[in-house]
Amino acid sequence: MLTSMSKTRPLVRPSPRMRGNARAETDHLEAAALYRLMTWLSPAYPVGAFSYSGGIEWAVEAGDISDAETQRCWIEIMLSAGAGMSDGIFFSHAHRAVTGGNDAALVEVAELAAAFVPTQERFHETTAMGRAFLEVTQAAWSCAAFAGLQQLWTGPVAYPIAVATACAGHGIPLDAALHAFLTAVSSNWISAGIRLIPLGHTDGQRILKALEPTVMATAKRAVATRLDELGSAVFRADIASARHETQYTRLFRS
């Protein structure tokens, strides 16, 4: 580890709204929590998500993705067996670590999330978005959890760790936060396809609707998966990410 652990009291303390609230996961979201969740995961939130395609740009160039159906299939696999699933697992563990005030667990998942990337572009994507999310959200929506994270972990912060820390620090329940996060990730991949294939926006919404069961299933698996069960099996997508680094013409940074 790159930092020492506090042996007395945790630097990341549970949110008062989350502590002792057993109904938080099942009750409807409070208006303030819903407002923040929608804001942070909006395409307009300034983290630079529009600049990244997750390798989809090369997949379109290579002919792997050519229409709405192949786009849907590609994203479905990315969600269920690739970056969507792994980021969902990191998100779940980070959220629980912040909510429970478990410093050691938060450092472990933050370090693993930064390392568990198949290519240089994917590393730059998740850490650049994570850094931007931390800076913007700390400036506008500050919470003690951010300060604790930055004291505990001085390395690069992956995007799911940053978002999970904000959600837990502001008392947003894990189930709702994770579903929203995975939906936002899916929407960004779809947006890349809309611009690259190209597709119409109606086709994009059809793809998002078709992915709803996959997002739900991925979230369910992610919250139940241990870190030592983490894995990925999207070899073509990993190749796409690596090949994009030397692609001749590019609109996206990944």
Side-chain angles (χ1 to χ4, degrees), residues 12 20-22 32 38 43 48 67 86 90 97 125 127 130 136 139 143 148-149 153 155 187 198 204 241 247 251-252:
V12 177
N21 185 5
M38 293 176 68
D67 55 22
S86 57
F90 295 138
E125 175 182 337
T127 57
V136 173
C143 66
L149 173 63
W153 174 245
S187 296
S241 180
Q247 190 169 333
L251 297 176
F252 293 85

Side-chain angles (χ1 to χ4, degrees), residues 10 19 28 43 50 100 107 122 147 162 187 209 216 250 253:
R19 189 188 298 116
H28 68 278
F50 64 89
V107 170
R122 172 65 180 147
S187 296
K209 178 181 183 296
M216 295 175 65
R250 302 190 303 176
R253 297 176 66 184

Side-chain angles (χ1 to χ4, degrees), residues 3 29 36 72 125 171 199 214 252:
T3 184
L29 283 177
R36 293 170 191 182
R72 183 199 64 78
E125 175 182 337
L199 295 176
T214 304
F252 293 85

Side-chain angles (χ1 to χ4, degrees), residues 17-114:
R17 285 185 292 173
M18 294 293 287
R19 189 188 298 116
N21 185 5
R23 299 180 303 168
E25 290 290 349
T26 56
D27 285 358
H28 68 278
L29 283 177
E30 295 180 358
L34 181 60
Y35 183 88
R36 293 170 191 182
L37 193 58
M38 293 176 68
T39 299
W40 296 338
L41 295 173
S42 163
Y45 205 63
V47 296
F50 64 89
S51 300
Y52 302 98
S53 77
I56 288 175
E57 185 165 20
W58 183 86
V60 172
E61 177 74 17
D64 291 37
I65 298 175
S66 58
D67 55 22
E69 179 58 18
T70 50
Q71 167 91 344
R72 183 199 64 78
C73 290
W74 185 277
I75 296 176
E76 182 175 17
I77 296 171
M78 286 286 288
L79 275 171
S80 60
M85 174 57 70
S86 57
D87 281 0
I89 295 169
F90 295 138
F91 190 105
S92 300
H93 282 267
H95 191 287
R96 284 195 288 257
V98 174
T99 300
N102 190 332
D103 292 351
L106 182 58
V107 170
E108 180 183 14
V109 69
E111 185 174 22
L112 184 56

Side-chain angles (χ1 to χ4, degrees), residues 47-57 120-132 159 185 187-193 195-196 244 251-254:
V47 296
F50 64 89
S51 300
Y52 302 98
S53 77
I56 288 175
E57 185 165 20
Q120 183 182 42
E121 280 195 351
R122 172 65 180 147
F123 174 80
H124 288 316
E125 175 182 337
T126 190
T127 57
M129 289 176 60
R131 182 174 61 253
Y159 184 55
V185 169
S187 296
N188 194 62
W189 289 336
I190 291 169
S191 177
R195 286 175 277 172
L196 290 165
H244 186 268
L251 297 176
F252 293 85
R253 297 176 66 184
S254 75

